[in-house]
Amino acid sequence: MKSGRYADEVMTELGEKVPYGIAQAVTATKADFSEYRAAFPAWVAEASERGLANWIHDRLWAHLVKQLDGNDDVNFSDEGPMRQFRVGTRYLFRAKRHSMTDKISSYPTLTATSFWSQHVGSLFPDMDEVRLSVGYRWDPEIREMEDAVISLRDAMDLPVWVVTVRVAPVTGAVELRPVTEDAPELPIIELISDEDEEDFGDEMGSE
């Protein structure tokens, strides 16, 4: 599978606003987490990994809605524990914490297993629905949020490619990073500048 080519295709079809909004949402969530840690350091230190992940997930979801809900192509679904949003008719996202090696975790229910096991090697890019994970990398040693990421996977622990999303001070850029060393070199996709930030509201800082 030519993962680099398909990563480029997905990012092109998503356009500029969705990756930019995701990056802004993660940035704002990191700010919330820093504020929470500064105000209640003992609470953060005593929190379980699951409890902390749930707290961060709630803030990330709130910021994703704030950043992307004004986009006509984006539709959110929030039904109890299942939160996801669709971009256009093809791309379905779930927010997940990524490990430093880009693995994700979830209860191994039939629904979750089916969602991530989409057999992209044989069907993509012709499949009608492409399921993507959006979120951030988590460093468990220091309990810190790292880069915003978008990933395509063929199982929860099997990423096919990962896009690292960073917003520069003047111009945003998406860095496409291959998962394997023999994957093709991936391009840099330029995003909108901060001068167009009003398209996402005036909030700046947000599994």
Side-chain angles (χ1 to χ4, degrees), residues 63-76:
H63 285 296
L64 284 169
V65 171
K66 183 175 290 187
Q67 293 290 338
L68 299 174
D69 200 31
N71 190 324
D72 291 339
D73 291 333
V74 179
N75 292 288
F76 286 87

Side-chain angles (χ1 to χ4, degrees), residues 34-92:
S34 294
E35 184 177 346
Y36 179 49
R37 170 173 274 165
F40 304 105
W43 292 7
V44 174
E46 294 167 357
S48 67
E49 283 300 306
R50 180 184 298 178
L52 204 57
N54 287 340
W55 189 95
I56 294 172
H57 178 79
D58 283 345
R59 298 310 306 143
L60 176 59
W61 182 257
H63 285 296
L64 284 169
V65 171
K66 183 175 290 187
Q67 293 290 338
L68 299 174
D69 200 31
N71 190 324
D72 291 339
D73 291 333
V74 179
N75 292 288
F76 286 87
S77 175
D78 189 348
E79 299 179 359
M82 185 177 295
R83 290 169 163 172
Q84 55 191 28
F85 65 93
R86 186 178 295 278
V87 178
T89 60
R90 190 179 191 196
Y91 297 106
L92 186 62

Side-chain angles (χ1 to χ4, degrees), residues 111-120 127 131 153-156:
T111 300
T113 301
S114 175
F115 185 90
W116 298 116
S117 300
Q118 54 192 328
H119 307 295
V120 294
M127 58 199 300
R131 301 158 197 156
R153 51 192 64 244
D154 209 9
M156 285 187 286

